[in-house]
Amino acid sequence: TRSQTITGEHVFPKWLQSRFDLSNAKIDLLNGTSITYRQLKIPCCNTCNTGPLSRLESTIFQAVSGGYGASSSLDAHSWYLWAGKLYFGILRKELRLSRRRSARSAGSIVHEEGLKRFRSLHLFLQGIRDKHQFVGELPYSVLVCNLHDLGGSRSYSFRENLKYMTVSIRMGDVGV
């Protein structure tokens, strides 16, 4: 077995944190506590972090930087993989955080068994590494919307729904 160098992958990329001043902003977790965007990192092998994940982030960054026009031209699969990375990344982080953050022995926010419910998503996310492709009907839908850029802190929002496995994100004039 080869030894892999493990790095910290920012679930919400640095470019997004910088562009919308999110580094110290907080995101709510399933247990009702919150964590800053900059602290929301998960383990990742260096090869994936600097290779396929970096390429995906660059693709999304360019689309968002180009506004709605560029974002709506980007293929739905790239958006799906990126939104899935955010969604699964949050769950992965919650696997390592204590349910009662003041009591480490309280068990994690998300249990290993709970994360197993998302095996298919984890498998589908291997598409970031070009490990598969979908044939026929896609098991997801992506909608890219042209929004009014509300400016300031109102130009960004993120929501996810665990029950329905949905993600929505506002980035300036781009809604996904």
Side-chain angles (χ1 to χ4, degrees):
T1 305
R2 262 186 334 158
S3 174
Q4 289 280 345
T5 302
I6 301 299
T7 61
E9 162 68 8
H10 289 88
V11 174
F12 291 85
K14 287 182 180 180
W15 67 262
L16 186 72
Q17 292 182 45
S18 176
R19 183 176 186 133
F20 296 102
D21 196 24
L22 300 174
S23 296
N24 294 314
K26 294 185 176 188
I27 185 166
D28 294 329
L29 301 174
L30 288 172
N31 68 346
T33 65
S34 58
I35 189 171
T36 62
Y37 278 82
R38 70 179 152 69
Q39 292 175 307
L40 196 49
K41 290 187 203 177
I42 57 174
C44 182
C45 77
N46 188 55
T47 303
C48 291
N49 202 357
T50 59
L53 282 169
S54 180
R55 286 190 295 278
L56 178 62
E57 290 298 350
S58 178
T59 298
I60 299 298
F61 169 74
Q62 290 173 7
V64 172
S65 295
Y68 170 73
S71 295
S72 64
S73 297
L74 183 61
D75 64 288
H77 192 62
S78 293
W79 282 117
Y80 166 75
L81 292 172
W82 189 70
K85 173 211 173 247
L86 301 179
Y87 184 87
F88 193 81
I90 294 168
L91 289 172
R92 178 72 173 79
K93 181 66 174 186
E94 289 175 322
L95 180 66
R96 299 291 177 235
L97 293 175
S98 178
R99 183 176 37 233
R100 287 195 344 258
R101 306 260 310 270
S102 61
R104 298 275 180 225
S105 63
S108 61
I109 299 171
V110 172
H111 297 283
E112 192 78 43
E113 287 302 311
L115 197 59
K116 286 181 182 177
R117 289 184 33 224
F118 298 92
R119 274 187 290 234
S120 294
L121 176 59
H122 186 258
L123 174 66
F124 295 164
L125 288 175
Q126 300 310 304
I128 296 171
R129 300 185 312 156
D130 294 325
K131 296 290 183 182
H132 76 275
Q133 62 182 6
F134 295 111
V135 177
E137 290 282 325
L138 298 175
Y140 60 84
S141 57
V142 173
L143 177 63
V144 179
C145 304
N146 187 6
L147 304 175
H148 293 287
D149 188 344
L150 300 174
S153 63
R154 297 182 330 154
S155 64
Y156 171 84
S157 67
F158 174 82
R159 300 284 182 270
E160 89 292 1
N161 184 301
L162 192 61
K163 180 178 178 181
Y164 297 110
M165 289 184 65
T166 59
V167 170
S168 65
I169 188 166
R170 168 191 281 272
M171 300 169 287
D173 70 340
V174 178
V176 180

